[in-house]
Amino acid sequence: MEANRGQAELSGLKPGAHDDLKSLPLPEVEKKLGSSPDGLSQAEAQKRLAQYGPNELEEKKANAFLKFLSYFWGPIPWMIEAAVILSAVAQHWPDFVIILVLLLANAVVGFWEEHQAGNAIAALKAKLAIKAQVKRDGQWTTPAARELVPGDVIHLRLGDIVPADARLLEGDPIEVDQSALTGESLPVTHTSGEAVFSGSIVRTGEIDALVYATGTNTYFGKTAQLVQGAQTTSHFQRAVLRIGNYLIVLAVVLVAIIITVALFRDDPILTTLQFALVLTVAAIPVAMPTVLSVTMAVGARLLARKEAIVTRLAAIEELAGVDVLCSDKTGTLTQNKLTLGDPFSVDGIPADRVILDAALASRADNQDTIDLAVLGGLKDKDALKAYGVLHFQPFDPVHKRTEATVKGPGGDEFKVTKGAPQVILELSANADEVVTAVDQAVNEFAARGFRSLGVARTDDDGQWQFVGVLPLFDPPREQARATIATAREMGVSVKMVTGDALAIARETAGKLGLGANLLDASGFGDTRHQQTGQLAASIENADGFAQVFPEHKYHIVDVLQQRGHIVGMTGDGVNDAPALKKADCGIAVSGATDAARAAASIVLMTPGLSVIVDAIKESRKIFQRMNSYAIYRITETLRVLLFMTLSILVFNFYPVTAVMIVMLALLNDGAILSIAYDNVHYKNTPEAWNMPSVLGVATVLGVTGVVSAFGLFYLGERVFHLDRAHVQTLMYLKLSVAGHLTIFLTRTRGPFWSIRPAPILLLAVVGTQLVATLIAVYGVFMTPLGWGWALMVWGYALAWFFINDLAKLAAYRIFDPDTRAGLAHA
């Protein structure tokens, strides 16, 4: 009856009521939730689960069918669809079927590859699912945390991740690490009646708690919803559209010219329509979206081997272009564990004695980071065995220190304590004598980025005597300095972002070789308003930022993006999620929360910065493959478009048939998928789509290809006097062979032999061109050519291959003179 009444009250909770449950007296909370310290029944829990849904963050899941349909929408799919319609109008049913198959294949492959990438992160999240200890029907059970409901009673103990927002019931105080939620670096003590939040970690103690909010109603969930406000557009999508638009405009112009000429010549309308069909098919970069998607998907699997899981394929291209990396300090640049420095002692007391006294006031089984650091500082690990701890008082927010009553080796009893230096000084009888020296030591430690811990011990009269100060610091990762230097060599500026004080940030930055230009983010003011130009410039030039809050991270990313940078941002907590989403490439570091993983484009499975640099190298290789293919595809489209247009205008002759065009597309684009596995060298500068270079080099290669095609056309018709049917087969084989040889030109920025092609690419090209040669020799869908003419075409194409390579090198010198600068080995 009580449960039903509570359920009625609970279902009528107004917006913001969960905030009330955080602060109301505990008896009232129990009443509103229709629960008690004995928990809920399983049946009642099932009812509430149906009403409130799973205890997890809601994710917008795209409809799979609508996602598939999206692959039929856009400039490039429209062109393919136009070709299908033209085929039907002209009643060219073989062409209609073949082009339709190409359209469907493009959509299926693209959809499947992106779906596979999505499955990778889904599997990753499944591994991270946590269990909760819940009291149901008076018995403790361990269901999945997603099954928790308001009113459940859970048991929290050392090391547990708090699975939902809850109020602590009767019991001893516990210490909770809320750094993933609030950025606080040290645990916070909570007592009975206080609220603990989903996603925080219990560091000491154990206690029962009453769940009052689950899922998106939790503090964790509400913060995660900030992510939805940040949206970015992929540079990759923009580049593909620009290439597609370039080819569309070119095709439209050439078709318009041909139709105009055809009308003046009084050519039959059907013939003109047939040509429009062929030209449209020729202009379509049919497999471009597919090849680029497959290249990135293959790259995503390669990155996964390096312990970097890609959640959004386009992020690979973004990562290749990152020139500013905003990196969290704790856990990424540092080891995320406190380490003891050289102590300061008073009155000549040995340093080892200060550490021993502090260690006696510590407890290992609490897994407290400070206690572990102090215990780890003992040179003699067996030193504590001679002492017996009679009573231990853990840290609490009132006393701000730990205290232990100890029995020494000689049977004498004394007390030791450690805590905030000012607190320990207030206890100490010798405070007046040592305060000046202690304050100086604390200030010196602070200037070097250390946190100070005061230590005292009672004398024979029971008086507290201040014995020394212990400095604590989070040491940098061993490889962090070298990794940062490597990143800089690759053209990536690393900026440290931390919530720590400026002094600590400066100390860490100095050890990592980051630079001394650090900004205090607390001086940014109201980041919702437009920042001044001076502040924006200082953000751009800074080596790092201290005392950073979540809104500052978002603001830093925004400013850097406005100033033309491609920004990578690392993070691990809910508070990092908006900035991770806003960044061009958000990177969730090892141990990140689900909210951070959901917002990030790349999720790291191992700690440290080195894996990020490895991922940047790999992404630049992937970018090189995409860039090579883009140049190749534009080149081939230009060759076919210009050659056919000029053939019609000048000779009033179709040099290839529609079926030949479709076969060119099938063979060439099918084999070119293997470029996703090609050997490449990455650049030591951030990558970006240099459209003048891409279009310029492609145009030069396209024009030289047209010249060579007309040369063969002239030889076939005027020198060897072949009939038009044989000339068409001759031109088909030339376009096929020369076209595929072009990939060996576009895949290198230097001479074609400068990088050895991958065996799979070489095999694919040789295999498809062997097929194309057999088709031409034996006349499948065309007039048979014979082996003699086929070998002549191969010789002609190979001769022009060397000429085209020289033309390519000249084009790079004109359109991208710095193209070979900064090339690094694979």
Side-chain angles (χ1 to χ4, degrees):
M1 195 71 182
E2 178 68 27
N4 290 335
R5 186 170 67 252
Q7 177 65 14
E9 285 195 54
L10 187 60
S11 62
L13 288 179
K14 298 177 181 179
H18 294 95
D19 293 332
D20 295 336
L21 294 177
K22 180 176 68 175
S23 54
L24 283 173
L26 199 55
E28 288 188 37
V29 174
E30 292 177 4
K31 183 179 178 182
K32 282 184 175 290
L33 292 174
S35 186
S36 72
D38 293 326
L40 302 173
S41 67
Q42 185 63 32
E44 178 63 23
Q46 288 299 322
K47 287 181 186 176
R48 297 192 184 191
L49 185 63
Q51 180 180 358
Y52 293 100
N55 175 37
E56 58 188 3
L57 296 181
E58 292 180 5
E59 292 185 30
K60 293 182 180 178
K61 294 186 177 179
N63 182 286
F65 181 67
L66 293 178
K67 182 69 177 173
F68 178 70
L69 290 181
S70 70
Y71 285 88
F72 297 92
W73 188 259
I76 292 174
W78 291 338
M79 293 177 69
I80 304 175
E81 288 151 12
V84 172
I85 294 169
L86 283 172
S87 298
V89 171
Q91 297 186 353
H92 281 236
W93 301 118
D95 298 349
F96 174 85
V97 172
I98 292 172
I99 299 168
L100 190 61
V101 167
L102 283 175
L103 177 66
L104 291 171
N106 176 57
V108 169
V109 173
F111 172 78
W112 177 251
E113 290 295 345
E114 191 160 335
H115 176 69
Q116 289 293 89
N119 285 345
I121 191 62
L124 177 65
K125 285 186 176 181
K127 292 178 182 178
L128 297 171
I130 60 172
K131 300 280 188 181
Q133 197 171 356
V134 188
K135 186 178 280 190
R136 298 268 175 87
D137 294 317
Q139 300 293 321
W140 289 107
T141 60
T142 55
R146 68 188 303 275
E147 296 178 17
L148 287 180
V149 295
D152 263 329
V153 171
I154 57 177
H155 184 69
L156 302 175
R157 58 186 177 181
L158 177 67
D160 282 352
I161 297 175
V162 179
D165 287 1
R167 296 286 295 275
L168 299 182
L169 298 173
E170 289 298 318
D172 294 332
I174 61 172
E175 286 190 11
V176 178
D177 179 354
Q178 300 180 162
S179 59
L181 303 175
T182 64
E184 294 173 286
S185 58
L186 296 174
V188 177
T189 299
H190 288 290
T191 57
S192 296
E194 293 184 357
V196 290
F197 301 123
S198 170
S200 51
I201 301 170
V202 179
R203 290 302 187 193
T204 64
E206 55 184 278
I207 194 171
D208 293 348
L210 178 65
V211 172
Y212 68 84
T214 59
T216 53
N217 290 319
T218 62
Y219 176 84
F220 183 103
K222 290 173 183 175
T223 308
Q225 288 174 350
L226 288 172
V227 173
Q228 298 174 2
Q231 299 293 333
T232 57
T233 304
S234 165
H235 293 76
F236 164 69
Q237 297 294 344
R238 287 183 227 150
V240 171
L241 287 175
R242 286 182 69 182
I243 293 170
N245 292 340
Y246 173 78
L247 298 177
I248 289 170
V249 170
L250 187 63
V252 168
V253 170
L254 294 179
V255 167
I257 292 172
I258 291 304
I259 291 175
T260 303
V261 171
L263 291 174
F264 276 109
R265 289 177 174 171
D266 292 327
D267 288 343
I269 294 298
L270 185 58
T271 302
T272 304
L273 187 61
Q274 288 171 340
F275 173 73
L277 163 66
V278 175
L279 197 58
T280 304
V281 174
I284 299 169
V286 178
M288 186 168 71
T290 304
V291 172
L292 295 180
S293 293
V294 169
T295 301
M296 288 192 291
V298 170
R301 288 192 278 272
L302 291 173
L303 287 174
R305 293 177 194 168
K306 295 180 180 290
E307 303 293 312
I309 308 296
V310 176
T311 68
R312 184 175 59 93
L313 282 183
I316 293 173
E317 181 259 349
E318 307 288 6
L319 185 60
V322 165
D323 64 331
V324 175
L325 178 62
C326 296
S327 174
D328 257 12
K329 179 182 76 72
T330 305
T332 304
L333 298 175
T334 63
Q335 298 177 24
N336 195 22
K337 60 182 181 182
L338 290 173
T339 303
L340 194 64
D342 294 329
F344 162 82
S345 59
V346 300
D347 299 331
I349 296 172
D352 289 349
R353 157 80 185 283
V354 178
I355 297 173
L356 176 62
D357 288 344
L360 290 169
S362 304
R363 181 178 282 178
D365 56 8
N366 281 346
Q367 294 296 304
D368 177 79
T369 52
I370 294 177
D371 284 6
L372 292 176
V374 172
L375 291 167
L378 285 170
K379 292 181 180 178
D380 182 3
K381 303 303 179 185
D382 297 326
L384 298 179
K385 291 182 178 179
Y387 297 86
V389 177
L390 304 178
H391 179 265
F392 182 81
Q393 179 182 321
F395 180 89
D396 68 75
V398 177
H399 299 98
K400 297 186 186 299
R401 62 187 180 89
T402 62
E403 181 182 313
T405 303
V406 181
K407 187 172 184 180
D412 55 319
E413 288 188 15
F414 60 93
K415 292 181 179 181
V416 287
T417 185
K418 72 179 193 309
Q422 64 273 21
V423 172
I424 304 302
L425 277 171
E426 288 177 8
L427 288 176
S428 303
N430 63 336
D432 291 340
E433 294 86 30
V434 301
V435 64
T436 302
V438 169
D439 285 344
Q440 183 179 348
V442 169
N443 290 334
E444 287 177 356
F445 285 141
R448 293 167 52 198
F450 293 91
R451 182 187 176 193
S452 295
L453 196 67
V455 183
R457 174 175 173 154
T458 56
D459 58 19
D460 295 338
D461 298 325
Q463 296 280 318
W464 285 109
Q465 300 292 326
F466 197 99
V467 296
V469 179
L470 298 181
L472 296 168
F473 68 103
D474 187 3
R477 290 191 173 277
E478 292 180 4
Q479 302 299 322
R481 188 182 183 98
T483 304
I484 289 169
T486 302
R488 284 178 171 165
E489 290 172 2
M490 296 171 63
V492 179
S493 171
V494 180
K495 298 180 186 292
M496 181 174 68
V497 181
T498 178
D500 285 339
L502 192 59
I504 296 174
R506 279 189 178 138
E507 171 69 12
T508 305
K511 291 182 176 179
L512 294 172
L514 274 173
N517 184 17
L518 299 175
L519 292 185
D520 187 338
S522 61
F524 285 0
D526 188 351
T527 56
R528 289 172 297 179
H529 296 91
Q530 186 66 31
Q531 74 287 336
T532 64
Q534 184 178 358
L535 177 58
S538 64
I539 288 174
E540 184 179 29
N541 296 325
D543 296 313
F545 308 91
Q547 300 194 147
V548 173
F549 284 90
E551 60 269 24
H552 294 143
K553 290 187 175 184
Y554 187 97
H555 179 63
I556 290 166
V557 172
D558 188 37
V559 168
L560 291 170
Q561 287 176 332
Q562 287 178 25
R563 296 181 78 85
H565 295 284
I566 306 297
V567 183
M569 166 65 80
T570 72
D572 59 357
V574 177
N575 56 328
D576 296 325
L580 290 175
K581 190 72 173 178
K582 173 64 176 171
D584 296 287
C585 188
I587 303 166
V589 298
S590 176
T593 60
D594 281 347
R597 292 172 186 265
S601 303
I602 294 177
V603 180
L604 304 183
M605 301 304 292
T606 54
L609 193 66
S610 59
V611 65
I612 300 176
V613 174
D614 287 343
I616 290 175
K617 291 177 181 177
E618 195 61 49
S619 67
R620 289 184 184 179
K621 292 180 186 178
I622 296 162
F623 184 92
Q624 289 289 337
R625 296 182 184 110
M626 293 193 296
N627 194 73
S628 299
Y629 173 75
I631 296 174
Y632 159 80
R633 184 62 264 173
I634 298 169
T635 298
E636 286 312 292
T637 301
L638 285 175
R639 284 181 179 178
V640 176
L641 274 174
L642 293 175
F643 177 58
M644 292 183 64
T645 303
L646 291 173
S647 296
I648 290 292
L649 291 177
V650 179
F651 300 102
N652 197 20
F653 167 62
Y654 287 90
V656 288
T657 65
V659 172
M660 289 177 180
I661 288 290
V662 174
M663 289 175 68
L664 281 172
L666 281 171
L667 288 174
N668 288 19
D669 286 335
I672 208 64
L673 286 170
S674 61
I675 199 173
Y677 302 91
D678 192 23
N679 297 327
V680 292
H681 292 173
Y682 64 85
K683 283 175 66 180
N684 265 339
T685 53
E687 292 283 11
W689 285 100
N690 184 346
M691 282 304 162
S693 174
V694 169
L695 297 178
V697 172
T699 301
V700 168
L701 289 174
V703 170
T704 57
V706 171
V707 171
S708 68
F710 273 113
L712 185 62
F713 180 73
Y714 176 82
L715 289 174
E717 188 172 69
R718 299 296 173 88
V719 177
F720 300 113
H721 304 292
L722 297 174
D723 60 64
R724 288 289 172 93
H726 280 90
V727 168
Q728 284 182 324
T729 307
L730 195 76
M731 297 315 303
Y732 160 75
L733 184 57
K734 191 273 173 190
L735 289 174
S736 185
V737 172
H740 243 172
L741 289 178
T742 301
I743 191 58
F744 296 117
L745 300 176
T746 62
R747 61 179 292 278
T748 66
R749 302 191 183 203
F752 72 88
W753 65 80
S754 56
I755 306 173
R756 182 180 299 176
I760 187 172
L761 177 64
L762 195 60
L763 187 64
V765 171
V766 171
T768 55
Q769 290 322 297
L770 181 60
V771 172
T773 302
L774 291 173
I775 288 172
V777 168
Y778 295 106
V780 182
F781 300 119
M782 61 191 71
T783 303
L785 193 60
W787 281 107
W789 290 112
L791 291 174
M792 190 273 285
V793 170
W794 269 91
Y796 184 84
L798 286 170
W800 270 95
F801 175 78
F802 292 98
I803 297 172
N804 288 337
D805 196 45
L806 295 175
K808 174 199 71 178
L809 296 176
Y812 271 122
R813 282 194 290 271
I814 295 170
F815 295 105
D816 194 359
D818 298 327
T819 186
R820 296 183 65 190
L823 276 177
H825 290 291

